[in-house]
Amino acid sequence: MKTLRDIKPGQSGRVIDITGCEDIKQKLYDLGIIPGVKVEVIQDAPFGGPIKLKVHDYCLALRKKEASCILVEEEK
């Protein structure tokens, strides 16, 4: 199973689960990242920068640490 951090720009996946501490889980839930939701990675900033993704009809950026808490099933 991959994390959102492993998904390359232009690829998408479906959220399976969210791991990590409760603060990070709650933040991701508040942003609309919940199990079953499709996410698409739009851009991966170099040098440890954030990952830009599309969730529902909006874009947001997450730290790589947060993205590594999101387990996804890659869609082809």
Side-chain angles (χ1 to χ4, degrees), residues 29-42:
Y29 290 156
D30 291 345
L31 291 171
I33 301 173
I34 57 175
V37 167
K38 181 180 174 182
V39 293
E40 179 183 352
V41 175
I42 297 172

Side-chain angles (χ1 to χ4, degrees), residues 1 17 19 31 35 57 63-64 67:
M1 191 172 300
D17 196 11
T19 62
L31 291 171
D57 291 334
R63 293 181 183 98
K64 290 189 176 173

Side-chain angles (χ1 to χ4, degrees), residues 41-54:
V41 175
I42 297 172
Q43 186 177 13
D44 186 6
F47 309 114
I51 295 173
K52 183 178 178 183
L53 43 122
K54 181 177 180 181

Side-chain angles (χ1 to χ4, degrees), residues 2 5 9 15 18 22 27 29 31 34 40-42 44 48 53-54 60 62 65-66 68 72 75-76:
K2 292 184 172 186
R5 188 174 178 172
V15 176
I18 298 174
E22 289 302 317
K27 176 183 177 182
Y29 290 156
L31 291 171
I34 57 175
E40 179 183 352
V41 175
I42 297 172
D44 186 6
L53 43 122
K54 181 177 180 181
L60 54 91
L62 293 178
K65 177 182 175 184
E66 296 164 338
S68 66
V72 295
E75 293 187 341
K76 307 235 177 193

